[in-house]
Amino acid sequence: MDKKRIIVTGGAGYIGSHTCVELINAGYTPIIIDNFFNSERFIVDRIEQITGLRPDLIEVDCTDYSGLMTLLKGYKGIEGIIHFAAYKAVGESTQKPVDYYYNNIASTTALLKLMNILGFNNFVFSSSCTVYGQPDELPVTENSPIKTAESPYGRTKQMCEDVMKDYQKANQDQKVVSLRYFNPIGAHSSSLIGELPRGVPNNLVPYITQTAAGLRDHLTVFGDDYDTPDGTCIRDYIHVVDLAKAHVAAIEYLIRQKNGIYNVFNLGTGRGNSVLEVIRTFEEVAGLKLNYKIGPRRSGDIVKVYADVAKANKDLEWETELDLKDALRDAWSWERSLKEN
């Protein structure tokens, strides 16, 4: 292939696998780095089934600097890194804060050290809207204040962004982008890859689809007394395929830059939907009634957040193409494919 290799850490995971598909569609060759802590090996087969190209696979933990060095130093023609590998559950992070701080920060610093030693640049970081905390104004822009995060997970993303800013300042030829994305949902339209939570899902949509499929007795909505139109939390839900395409756009944005840079971009739809709106839209798309009940608020949740995506639209030359109905339809198709298999 004419275009070069891209390292994708966590490339067998949810967003990583979809990004590998879109990288291949754009002419790149992904090198997946994954320890399969929160992903499955068969996903690499599915990426090949969708695209006709099998990514290289390196099985190593991204906190293992020596292991990464040993396994990567023989590779040539690496264009850059897209770094997904991280622990990612807001609720779980409040119960296991030290695990989150160690894993998420150590993996990022290890990769940045490798960038210089192995002689390549272009680093795309998987950040989160949680860095904003509870925003004072909506929609959130990239210039919105970085307030105290509501969870250890969010604080790890804030800390990693600080590390990357300091790294780029000290290494001014390096090109780094932090993508602050909102709530990824959905699955590939082939139903071959999608979200695969281990155990009880921490995110809303897989819990919805598992409840609809009979794997869960009911769905609990965490609180209906928030300051929102229907009392439930509001989020910006973005289709994972749109999100994956944004990562390809971010790599190509960095490649276009003649000088070193650090930049941040919001990735979302620019629209907010409440938990109850998502449930009702799913019921419409799936043609069934969902068994749900209202429970107490969950620690770490913010009330409402959605993105201003004008900067990403302009600079990354990217915009979303799929909506909430598309995402819920694809998530439900993926869930049913799992049940059939």
Side-chain angles (χ1 to χ4, degrees):
M1 303 181 88
D2 292 331
K3 291 190 178 179
K4 296 182 180 180
R5 296 182 174 95
I6 304 292
I7 294 169
V8 184
T9 73
Y14 176 41
I15 306 171
S17 60
H18 288 81
T19 299
C20 285
V21 168
E22 297 306 327
L23 282 167
I24 293 168
N25 288 343
Y28 295 92
T29 301
I31 303 168
I32 292 175
I33 297 178
D34 211 302
N35 65 356
F36 297 102
F37 174 79
N38 194 31
S39 56
E40 301 292 344
R41 286 174 176 79
F42 76 83
I43 294 297
V44 181
D45 300 329
R46 297 287 184 86
I47 293 170
E48 181 181 17
Q49 191 174 343
I50 292 168
T51 66
L53 178 75
R54 187 172 187 84
D56 288 355
L57 173 63
I58 297 173
E59 189 170 346
V60 65
D61 193 301
C62 285
T63 64
D64 180 1
Y65 173 76
S66 297
L68 285 167
M69 174 65 75
T70 299
L71 292 166
L72 282 174
K73 64 183 179 182
Y75 275 91
K76 305 296 181 186
I78 293 175
E79 192 74 57
I81 297 176
I82 302 177
H83 178 34
F84 293 107
Y87 295 162
K88 61 179 184 177
V90 169
E92 183 184 62
S93 76
T94 65
Q95 304 301 315
K96 300 178 179 179
V98 174
D99 290 352
Y100 272 69
Y101 287 122
Y102 174 74
N103 184 75
N104 292 5
I105 297 168
S107 61
T108 303
T109 55
L111 290 163
L112 292 173
K113 284 176 68 176
L114 283 170
M115 294 274 287
N116 275 350
I117 293 171
L118 296 179
F120 52 89
N121 53 18
N122 301 325
F123 190 88
V124 176
F125 179 68
S126 168
S127 192
S128 166
C129 66
T130 57
V131 303
Y132 296 113
Q134 178 59 62
D136 295 323
E137 295 182 0
L138 293 172
V140 173
T141 75
E142 289 83 356
N143 294 321
S144 295
I146 303 298
K147 301 172 70 175
T148 300
E150 298 289 325
S151 68
Y153 165 77
R155 282 189 284 278
T156 69
K157 295 299 186 183
Q158 291 176 336
M159 291 175 182
C160 286
E161 287 197 5
D162 287 340
V163 168
M164 290 184 297
K165 281 184 282 189
D166 289 340
Y167 166 80
Q168 200 283 324
K169 190 181 297 182
N171 300 271
Q172 294 195 6
D173 61 325
Q174 293 286 7
K175 297 180 283 184
V176 181
V177 154
S178 183
L179 300 180
R180 295 171 178 168
Y181 35 86
F182 286 64
N183 287 63
I185 60 172
H188 195 267
S189 59
S190 66
S191 300
L192 289 170
I193 56 174
E195 193 165 5
L196 267 178
R198 294 274 177 91
V200 179
N202 286 293
N203 296 328
L204 174 62
V205 171
Y207 213 114
I208 285 175
T209 59
Q210 287 190 10
T211 301
L215 301 176
R216 307 286 163 197
D217 178 63
H218 67 276
L219 167 72
T220 299
V221 175
F222 295 111
D224 66 347
D225 58 349
Y226 287 98
D227 182 20
T228 64
D230 63 20
T232 63
C233 291
I234 289 174
R235 298 289 183 270
D236 186 335
Y237 295 95
I238 178 173
H239 198 298
V240 67
V241 171
D242 280 331
L243 188 62
K245 290 178 179 178
H247 288 78
V248 180
I251 277 287
E252 297 192 329
Y253 164 81
L254 289 178
I255 291 169
R256 291 195 300 269
Q257 305 307 307
K258 292 183 170 59
N259 301 308
I261 190 172
Y262 176 80
N263 212 341
V264 299
F265 295 97
N266 287 339
L267 298 181
T269 65
R271 297 179 298 278
N273 295 102
S274 73
V275 173
L276 287 179
E277 284 178 315
V278 174
I279 290 171
R280 290 168 187 143
T281 303
F282 176 80
E283 290 177 332
E284 177 186 346
V285 167
L288 52 79
K289 296 297 290 183
L290 197 69
N291 183 23
Y292 69 91
K293 67 178 185 180
I294 306 299
R297 294 186 179 195
R298 181 174 60 177
S299 175
D301 279 340
I302 63 174
V303 180
K304 51 188 172 182
V305 64
Y306 53 93
D308 183 319
V309 292
K311 184 179 177 184
N313 293 163
K314 179 178 181 292
D315 292 355
L316 299 184
E317 301 173 6
W318 163 90
E319 60 184 26
T320 57
E321 300 171 355
L322 302 164
D323 62 16
L324 182 64
K325 286 185 178 180
D326 295 321
L328 294 173
R329 179 200 64 226
D330 292 340
W332 181 226
S333 296
W334 162 246
E335 185 67 56
R336 284 181 295 169
S337 79
L338 292 174
K339 192 172 183 181
E340 290 166 4
N341 294 327

